[in-house]
Amino acid sequence: QKREEIRATISARIEVKKKQLIERIQMKLNNINERRTDHFLKVLERMQNILDRIESRKENVSAAGKDAKAVEAAIQTAQTAIDQAIEDVNTQKAKEYQIVVDEETTARNDVGATAKQLQEDLRKVRESVKAARDAVFAAHQALRVIRGVDEGGTATPSATPT
């Protein structure tokens, strides 16, 4: 009878430790999500600043009498891509990752599935940010095609998502 009591006490301690471990892992996953989405928002803010500089340079070129329709189209495409990426990042930032353990024996698989879901979601957001970066770069390239643009400095996109 005493052995059974000891086993019950040990089993209860193990349950508490597993629960605490799962809670810590869940908190870590949510912290990772928050850090990565904050980073993506900073990158998108820098891209928006670059796009604004490209647009002001496009207006200088247009005022000089050069045709800047291709640049305008590239700027619109880039702006749409940035807006979409910001929406994707904000949607991702709002997500909370809850680890639901059905059985004690499947806890490891449940934690792994939640972590894998976070990785997949962040990969999709990263692709969206990369598409925005590529669109900003295309706008810059379209601006460079027009001669005489390099008189007022350069507008090279230096924001690269990591």
Side-chain angles (χ1 to χ4, degrees):
Q1 186 178 24
K2 189 156 182 139
R3 275 189 183 166
E4 291 176 18
E5 289 175 16
I6 292 173
R7 283 184 184 160
T9 306
I10 291 173
S11 178
R13 287 183 189 166
I14 290 174
E15 288 293 319
V16 168
K17 285 188 178 190
K18 282 185 179 180
K19 187 175 181 181
Q20 289 172 343
L21 177 64
I22 289 172
E23 288 172 357
R24 272 198 319 264
I25 292 170
Q26 182 174 315
M27 196 177 347
K28 282 184 179 182
L29 291 176
N30 287 319
N31 285 340
I32 289 169
N33 186 46
E34 185 175 342
R35 279 195 333 263
R36 296 304 298 160
T37 53
D38 287 344
H39 169 73
F40 288 140
L41 286 173
K42 286 177 186 174
V43 168
L44 289 167
E45 183 180 325
R46 287 192 307 252
M47 281 189 230
Q48 184 63 55
N49 291 338
I50 291 167
L51 189 61
D52 292 343
R53 289 194 319 236
I54 291 171
E55 189 162 6
S56 71
R57 295 198 53 212
K58 186 247 349 157
E59 290 175 13
N60 292 342
V61 168
S62 294
K66 296 185 179 178
D67 184 22
K69 289 181 183 176
V71 177
E72 181 63 35
I75 288 172
Q76 291 300 323
T77 302
Q79 188 62 56
T80 303
I82 288 174
D83 292 342
Q84 180 62 45
I86 289 172
E87 183 180 321
D88 292 347
V89 171
N90 286 331
T91 301
Q92 177 62 32
K93 188 175 182 110
K95 288 185 181 180
E96 287 282 326
Y97 289 89
Q98 299 290 330
I99 299 172
V100 180
V101 178
D102 299 329
E103 295 179 24
E104 188 176 326
T105 57
T106 63
R108 178 180 294 242
N109 293 338
D110 295 336
V111 169
T114 304
K116 190 172 187 98
Q117 182 63 45
L118 171 65
Q119 287 176 338
E120 184 65 24
D121 291 345
L122 289 174
R123 186 188 61 76
K124 289 176 185 174
V125 171
R126 184 180 184 285
E127 288 174 1
S128 178
V129 172
K130 185 174 180 335
R133 185 221 179 265
D134 292 344
V136 170
F137 185 72
H140 171 68
Q141 291 298 88
L143 184 64
R144 284 188 58 198
V145 168
I146 302 171
R147 292 207 176 266
V149 172
D150 292 332
E151 296 162 3
T154 60
T156 55
S158 60
T160 54
T162 58

